[in-house]
Amino acid sequence: MRISTQSFYARSMNDIGSQQQQLFRIQQQLASGSKFLTPADDPVASARALGVSDTLAQSSQYATSRDRATLSLSREEDALKSATEILQNVKTLVVQAGNGTLSDADRASLATAMQSNLDQLVNVANADDGNGQFLFAGYKSANPPFVAQAGGGVQYMGDQGQRLIQVDVARQMSAADDGRSVFQSVQGSAGYVASASAANTGSGVFGGVGVTEGTAALYGKDFNISFAGGNYTVTTTDTPPVVAATGVYTSGTPIAFGGVQVSMSGTPADGDSFQVATAKNAGTDVFAAIGDMISALRQPLATGGPAAQAHLQNALSTANVKITNAHDNVLTIRSSVGSRLNEIDALDSAGGSRDLIDKSYLSDLQDLDPAAAISEFLQRQTSLQATQQTFARLHGISLFNYL
Amino acid sequence: MSMFYTGLTGLSVARSALMTTAHNTANVYTAGYSRQTSMIATNGAIGLASGFVGTGARVTTVARSYDAYLTSQLNGAEASGAALASYNAQISRIDSLLADKTSGLSPLMQSFFAGVQGVANTPADPAARQQLISAAHALANKFRATDQYLSDLNTSVNEQIQGSVGEINTYAKQIASLNHRIGQMSAVAGGQPPNDLLDQRDQLVNQLGKLVNVKVLEQDGGKYNVFIGNGQSLVLGDQAMSLKAGPSAADPTRTALSLVGINGTATELADSVFGGGSIGGLMAFRNETLSTSQNAIGRLAMSLTDTFNDQHKLGVDLNGVLGTDFFSQAAPGVFTNAHNNGDMVLGASITDTAQLSISDYSVEVKDVAGVLNYSVTRLTDKQVIGTFTAFPISFDGVSLSVASGTAQAGDRFLVQPTRTGARDVDVLVLDTAKVAAASPLIAGNTAGNQGTGALGAPRVDAGYLAAPLTAPVTLSFDAATGELSGFPAASAVTVTLADGTSTVYAAGDPVPYTAGASMSFGGITVKMTGAPADGDTFTIKNNSGGVSDGSNALLLGALQKKAVMDGGTSTFGSAFAQLVSAVGNRTMEIRTAEKTQTSVTEQIRASRDSISGVNQDEETANLLMYQQMYQANAKVIQTASTMFDAILGIRS
């Protein structure tokens, strides 16, 4: 076969050119650290790498969201911790106020101390997230959720919106709790709360309310105990009322009705009445409970006689139970915040290990093995050198050399 | 005859052969040159009584070492090679565009959805909202830039076709003129072939073939007739036709080629008839890859903006107002064929972005027994997807209607539902307060509720927008009947249980309560859980002042993972990955085909060159050989002279 001189040169140049191209490619791969420079080099791996980096990007979104949820929940936890401490202070003050040897002035100063605690509690309930957004306002975070009313008391202006944050692929977590469920609710497990009518004129004082039979027919209803002629009548607050119990009143003997019993002492006057209501119906507003107590403490006893004494004692008992219920409620929410924070930690570590797997898969897909690439580079370099040398030799061979 | 004369013929043959060898040596690097050989034969002999005595040699012809079959094979191989090379050059540009890992569409979509998530996390934070708007701008810009890049590729393809036309016409004229000169020269030289002109003509055919695939037929008398496309003649003997480039009748954004006949009428040639040459490669590229890539990007943009807008409109902004379109949206394009006789103008609209394909469609009007039929063909798979007789015509998420005029049989239309989808993307929400991150409704229970019943966050669908709530809805539970009442008087309520069974309760009827069941009315869906007590009430009302509500942003963010394309099988990310993989695969195929074609071409060229090519060593050997021949024949003349002198010497 005749080798045309032209094609000898053309083919040699082609060969050298294509080898240089391959060398350049490996050089580019080494420079970029990537197996493929464009999708055409490995279409399947490129498409997969896109999918995996999508997953990784989403995972980092969730991580950012978890950071945000952690921040918000930690602030809530701080606020709830303060609220717990304040409520404990208030409970201590209630116990002090029950001391019968206190003078009106002593009680007034306790009332002042309690007022300061109430102010602090309102302040905590109106805590913001450091960015002007109120923690306990639900969605309406632009304005303070608890607003003092002209006639006393505090009203909740927020809503019940749950601020959900996407903390994982299929998990949305509430990053805040609304003020109503924190400060104006009680747990379902809270028991009965007894209270005395403000119009009572006798010296009847109630003690603790105990549950004797949770399955009784009327258990769970609200009750009214009224006294007339030394007898008591217990009716439900339904319309029309149902009589739950009647009997002769003996001071110190508990009155039992609808599965509960309440101890009574002192001498109730005719027409005096007491209410025994479920915690939910007795008024769940912790601010109102503290406020009621403050006004009870400010009532001077010196001129009131046994009726006034009974009033104070009953008011303190009611407030004590309500504040304990509120305290329990705050503690329950605190523990829910704590478990949410724990869950975030768990999701963080799960997300971290998922990321690790995805990253190593992504690296398998697209990262270059430098050792293999360098060895291929050297191999091709040798091959190019050989081609160049043989070309130079062949080029030198000519019939003219021998003429 | 004299020995002098015999020697002289030898000298002349040797000189001629040396000339040919010199010509070969001079043309060792001339493209398209075929090695020439002086064909030597004996002169007639003189018959004597003692036998025939030869009278020397002569050159009968100078022959060209040429194999017509190999030459045409080489032309074909080079035409295919040129097609693949131009295809590869273009598709590699799309391939590299999609390779961008840091600023490509994929990372920008990711950061856009990260922005949405940011708003969901801190809806009241204007910085988060601003970040979303900025990320949306970046994404919209990228869509437009990607589209621009692909449109520029189309323009560049148009320009290359336009530019090649001049070259093709020049080659055609030169071939026709060589046809003429070859005939002339051959006649003058008494039928001897004008080898160098023949080589030139073959070289021109080869050059022409690299631009556009041609067929050559040699007619009697050795003239070349050159045909283009599927048999249209470009050169007929001494006559050359010409090509013209101009906007295609079907799609004016594309340059098509027309053949101008002898009588001056131009006939547009379909892209599909160009199978080879760089023009064939360009046309295949724009039909197979460019349009589908641009459609795929457009479809992605349309789907994303449409689904995002739909969800955004179901939320409320910081002022409690229902959201508006977040992105602007492109409309499908319809081109009326320039050759249409009727004056019908079609309008197209998108009905369902989930059903959109990445194809273009052609609509052809046919007269079937006096009734106009509209036959729709999907161009990617050439599938007739339906024949319609009345408008609106709906297919693949697109609806066609008549804007004006009437059609005539034979009219054609080109529908491009997604071509400009990415070109027209822009962000419409520029005010941070207008990002509709919140849900329009909020649910709550009344403070004194005894039971544990809890109403979940209400969700709204497109049906809600027709009649948004004007007054709060208060649901109350009756323990005696176990029913909820208080639904809006005009709305029927559909209750769907966890197992998927649903029951419809007429408007005004109370609805039995099932924990965990979802209740839908007037475009609102709520789910209640727990055990409500008798008389417990629950409210659903407008969400006013809910600045920290990010629930609609959560739904917007969820679109990233939702399969909303390809009939609900692909997410935005996977639709983009499909494009990357399709272009990547096609590029790889083309590259492999080009490599294979190059080696095939090399082999054919080697075969051709082994016949037609010049080898310098061979010529050198010939040079020595014919030089010696010359010297030997000179010696013959010297010998004859010596003999003659000897005879003269006898007398003296």
Side-chain angles (χ1 to χ4, degrees):
Chain A
M1 185 167 165
R2 176 183 291 106
I3 302 295
S4 107
T5 309
Q6 185 183 12
S7 61
F8 164 67
Y9 281 104
R11 290 192 75 168
S12 302
M13 283 300 120
N14 271 352
D15 289 347
I16 291 174
S18 77
Q19 292 204 21
Q20 277 176 338
Q21 230 169 27
Q22 280 164 343
L23 262 183
F24 179 60
R25 232 189 91 71
I26 301 175
Q27 201 271 330
Q28 272 185 308
Q29 282 181 331
L30 279 166
S32 68
S34 180
K35 267 185 207 162
F36 40 86
L37 302 169
T38 69
D41 297 338
D42 190 344
V44 176
S46 313
R48 278 205 193 128
L50 274 180
V52 178
S53 52
D54 249 3
T55 312
L56 279 170
Q58 282 173 24
S59 171
S60 99
Q61 274 176 33
Y62 300 140
T64 313
S65 301
R66 284 196 291 271
D67 287 349
R68 177 67 217 173
T70 307
L71 181 71
S72 171
L73 287 171
S74 307
R75 285 191 191 277
E76 184 180 347
E77 156 68 22
D78 275 354
L80 292 178
K81 188 169 165 240
S82 311
T84 321
E85 282 163 5
I86 294 167
L87 288 173
Q88 265 159 359
N89 285 346
V90 171
K91 281 171 76 177
T92 316
L93 291 173
V94 172
V95 173
Q96 283 179 24
N99 187 341
T101 61
L102 293 181
S103 66
D104 284 352
D106 292 338
R107 274 190 292 273
S109 77
L110 278 179
T112 309
M114 214 169 270
Q115 181 66 47
S116 132
N117 275 308
L118 175 59
D119 293 346
Q120 280 178 43
L121 190 61
V122 172
N123 208 25
V124 166
N126 281 338
D128 71 19
D129 65 356
N131 205 9
Q133 301 298 323
F134 293 90
L135 281 178
F136 296 107
Y139 292 157
K140 297 186 171 184
S141 63
N143 297 307
F146 290 97
V147 177
Q149 298 299 294
V154 174
Q155 197 184 343
Y156 180 57
M157 306 300 286
D159 58 24
Q160 288 171 273
Q162 292 207 309
R163 297 186 204 163
L164 294 177
I165 285 184
Q166 190 84 37
V167 289
D168 201 16
V169 185
R171 175 74 168 105
Q172 293 183 350
M173 183 182 278
S174 180
D177 292 279
D178 67 274
R180 206 182 84 187
S181 55
V182 178
F183 299 103
Q184 296 181 325
S185 299
V186 293
Q187 289 300 305
S189 58
Y192 276 98
V193 178
S195 58
S197 291
N200 284 1
T201 53
S203 62
V205 175
F206 59 83
V209 182
V211 176
T212 53
E213 191 189 353
T215 53
L218 293 175
Y219 182 76
K221 299 271 187 193
D222 294 347
F223 301 95
N224 186 49
I225 308 170
S226 57
F227 291 88
N231 294 327
Y232 64 87
T233 309
V234 184
T235 57
T236 64
T237 54
D238 295 336
T239 350
V242 177
V243 177
T246 51
V248 178
Y249 169 69
T250 318
S251 176
T253 308
I255 300 172
F257 49 87
V260 293
Q261 66 171 21
V262 57
S263 54
M264 288 290 295
S265 56
T267 319
D270 279 2
D272 280 4
S273 65
F274 297 87
Q275 286 77 41
V276 179
T278 57
K280 275 188 178 171
N281 287 353
T284 52
D285 183 350
V286 67
F287 306 108
I290 299 174
D292 287 350
M293 188 155 48
I294 292 168
S295 48
L297 286 176
R298 289 206 167 124
Q299 291 294 324
L301 290 187
T303 53
Q309 189 72 44
H311 259 300
L312 175 65
Q313 211 168 328
N314 285 335
L316 287 178
S317 301
T318 307
N320 196 13
V321 174
K322 284 187 175 175
I323 289 164
T324 304
N325 283 344
H327 186 231
D328 286 349
N329 189 47
V330 171
L331 282 180
T332 309
I333 289 179
R334 244 185 102 178
S335 95
S336 132
V337 169
S339 51
R340 273 179 271 173
L341 283 168
N342 282 342
E343 187 186 343
I344 288 178
D345 282 348
L347 289 173
D348 262 341
S349 79
S353 55
R354 246 193 344 244
D355 278 5
L356 212 60
I357 295 168
D358 284 346
K359 275 180 187 155
S360 88
Y361 181 43
L362 189 63
S363 155
D364 282 352
L365 282 176
Q366 61 181 21
D367 288 355
L368 187 72
D369 175 357
I374 287 171
S375 110
E376 195 186 341
F377 185 86
L378 293 175
Q379 208 178 329
R380 290 203 183 276
Q381 192 186 20
T382 315
S383 146
L384 174 62
Q385 278 167 350
T387 313
Q388 285 171 336
Q389 279 170 2
T390 50
F391 172 71
R393 288 278 176 84
L394 275 177
H395 164 75
I397 298 175
S398 167
L399 195 51
F400 285 114
N401 296 345
Y402 307 100
L403 293 178
Chain B
M1 285 302 283
S2 86
M3 199 171 156
F4 275 110
Y5 180 73
T6 307
L8 204 57
T9 60
L11 272 185
S12 137
V13 164
R15 192 188 293 116
S16 162
L18 277 171
M19 292 275 287
T20 315
T21 304
H23 189 55
N24 283 343
T25 311
N27 284 297
V28 65
Y29 298 130
T30 305
Y33 179 75
S34 303
R35 193 165 47 84
Q36 297 176 7
T37 320
S38 292
M39 304 307 283
I40 303 167
T42 50
N43 274 330
I46 298 165
L48 299 174
S50 55
F52 287 92
V53 174
T55 60
R58 67 191 159 93
V59 172
T60 52
T61 185
V62 176
R64 189 162 72 116
S65 302
Y66 174 76
D67 184 320
Y69 172 69
L70 280 178
T71 305
S72 100
Q73 255 203 331
L74 183 63
N75 283 349
E78 289 198 323
S80 305
L84 290 166
S86 69
Y87 200 137
N88 187 11
Q90 302 297 323
I91 199 173
S92 294
R93 292 168 71 182
I94 301 187
D95 189 42
S96 342
L97 171 77
L98 299 177
D100 194 342
K101 279 182 211 140
T102 46
S103 61
L105 265 175
S106 177
L108 284 174
M109 276 201 289
Q110 286 162 4
S111 62
F112 170 67
F113 279 107
V116 175
Q117 202 76 60
V119 172
N121 289 349
T122 50
D125 184 2
R129 287 165 175 262
Q130 187 54 54
Q131 199 167 1
L132 167 63
I133 292 175
S134 305
H137 272 295
L139 179 62
N141 278 339
K142 188 69 199 179
F143 269 124
R144 288 199 303 266
T146 308
D147 180 80
Q148 187 60 49
Y149 187 90
L150 296 173
S151 293
D152 287 349
L153 269 184
N154 186 43
T155 311
S156 130
V157 166
N158 284 347
E159 280 165 359
Q160 289 179 58
I161 292 173
Q162 182 92 43
S164 303
V165 164
E167 260 181 285
I168 293 173
N169 289 340
T170 311
Y171 289 142
K173 269 187 210 142
Q174 286 176 344
I175 291 171
S177 120
L178 275 173
N179 271 343
H180 180 65
R181 277 177 62 203
I182 287 167
Q184 247 181 356
M185 300 287 278
S186 177
V188 168
Q192 290 288 6
N195 290 331
D196 296 330
L197 293 184
L198 292 175
D199 279 347
Q200 273 179 36
R201 189 175 61 179
D202 284 329
Q203 181 63 15
L204 285 172
V205 169
N206 175 276
Q207 302 273 28
L208 180 60
K210 284 182 190 167
L211 290 174
V212 61
N213 60 330
V214 288
K215 282 191 193 69
V216 177
L217 284 180
E218 192 169 351
Q219 73 181 51
D220 295 343
K223 292 191 174 175
Y224 276 3
N225 289 339
V226 180
F227 302 96
I228 194 171
N230 48 7
Q232 288 84 356
S233 45
L234 183 64
V235 178
L236 273 182
D238 299 351
Q239 210 153 26
M241 266 48 86
S242 67
L243 284 181
K244 203 179 81 175
S248 159
D251 179 356
T253 62
R254 288 181 163 191
T255 300
L257 290 181
S258 310
L259 185 67
V260 183
I262 301 170
N263 57 2
T265 52
T267 321
E268 185 174 322
L269 301 171
D271 283 8
S272 53
V273 306
F274 298 98
S278 60
I279 288 188
L282 289 173
M283 288 182 168
F285 161 71
R286 74 176 175 192
N287 288 312
E288 289 169 9
T289 304
L290 179 59
S291 56
T292 47
S293 300
Q294 202 168 7
N295 287 353
I297 297 282
R299 180 176 72 144
L300 179 59
M302 281 175 138
S303 267
L304 191 142
T305 54
D306 185 62
T307 43
F308 197 85
N309 280 352
D310 283 353
Q311 186 61 50
H312 191 252
K313 285 192 274 197
L314 293 178
V316 293
D317 62 16
L318 275 185
N319 305 320
V321 180
L322 281 168
T324 52
D325 276 346
F326 194 87
F327 290 106
S328 61
Q329 267 182 283
V334 182
F335 292 108
T336 305
N337 195 298
H339 299 318
N340 279 5
N341 294 317
D343 62 351
M344 184 164 82
V345 176
L346 283 182
S349 59
I350 302 290
T351 51
D352 184 0
T353 51
Q355 303 301 329
L356 287 177
S357 77
I358 56 171
S359 180
D360 292 343
Y361 300 84
S362 83
V363 180
E364 202 178 335
V365 186
K366 291 174 184 159
D367 189 334
V368 178
V371 179
L372 287 183
N373 277 15
Y374 303 90
S375 153
V376 180
T377 308
R378 184 164 47 217
L379 295 180
T380 43
D381 54 3
K382 305 276 184 283
Q383 197 78 35
V384 176
I385 52 174
T387 302
F388 306 86
T389 51
F391 286 93
I393 294 174
S394 294
F395 53 89
D396 290 3
V398 184
S399 170
L400 292 179
S401 55
V402 182
S404 67
T406 47
Q408 283 189 21
D411 285 1
R412 284 163 181 275
F413 300 88
L414 178 67
V415 184
Q416 297 180 337
T418 54
R419 181 67 55 86
T420 58
R423 186 189 70 189
D424 302 335
V425 179
D426 204 357
V427 182
L428 296 179
V429 170
L430 303 175
D431 179 357
T432 52
K434 298 267 189 241
V435 175
S439 164
L441 300 173
I442 180 169
N445 53 1
T446 312
N449 279 1
Q450 291 295 299
T452 56
L455 201 53
R459 292 211 169 175
V460 297
D461 59 32
Y464 173 75
L465 299 177
L469 272 195
T470 46
V473 171
T474 304
L475 304 179
S476 51
F477 180 71
D478 185 338
T481 56
E483 287 172 339
L484 282 168
S485 57
F487 290 99
S491 312
V493 181
T494 308
V495 176
T496 309
L497 302 181
D499 62 6
T501 53
S502 63
T503 320
V504 181
Y505 295 91
D509 285 1
V511 175
Y513 170 68
T514 314
S518 61
M519 298 171 281
S520 308
F521 55 96
I524 305 170
T525 303
V526 286
K527 195 181 261 190
M528 197 194 272
T529 51
D534 186 45
D536 281 0
T537 55
F538 305 88
T539 53
I540 300 165
K541 58 182 180 182
N542 281 314
N543 181 12
S544 64
V547 294
S548 274
D549 181 7
S551 44
N552 198 46
L554 281 177
L555 293 172
L556 286 169
L559 292 175
Q560 187 181 15
K561 297 191 295 284
K562 209 166 165 188
V564 293
M565 297 179 68
D566 281 328
T569 58
S570 306
T571 62
F572 303 129
S574 64
F576 183 69
Q578 271 170 34
L579 170 67
V580 170
S581 136
V583 170
N585 270 314
R586 190 83 186 110
T587 312
M588 190 169 72
E589 270 172 45
I590 296 288
R591 274 186 200 167
T592 315
E594 197 197 352
K595 264 188 202 145
T596 315
Q597 189 61 49
T598 309
S599 80
V600 167
T601 310
E602 283 299 325
Q603 278 169 24
I604 300 176
R605 194 197 305 282
S607 301
R608 178 196 167 272
D609 282 356
S610 74
I611 292 172
S612 303
V614 179
N615 180 299
Q616 228 159 26
D617 283 349
E618 185 189 9
E619 298 308 321
T620 309
N622 284 344
L623 199 66
L624 294 175
M625 190 169 78
Y626 291 125
Q627 191 187 359
Q628 278 186 355
M629 177 184 176
Y630 191 87
Q631 283 165 348
N633 278 292
K635 205 71 185 171
V636 168
I637 292 173
Q638 196 189 12
T639 309
S641 166
T642 316
M643 284 163 65
F644 192 65
D645 284 350
I647 300 218
L648 286 181
I650 297 172
R651 299 279 301 267
S652 60

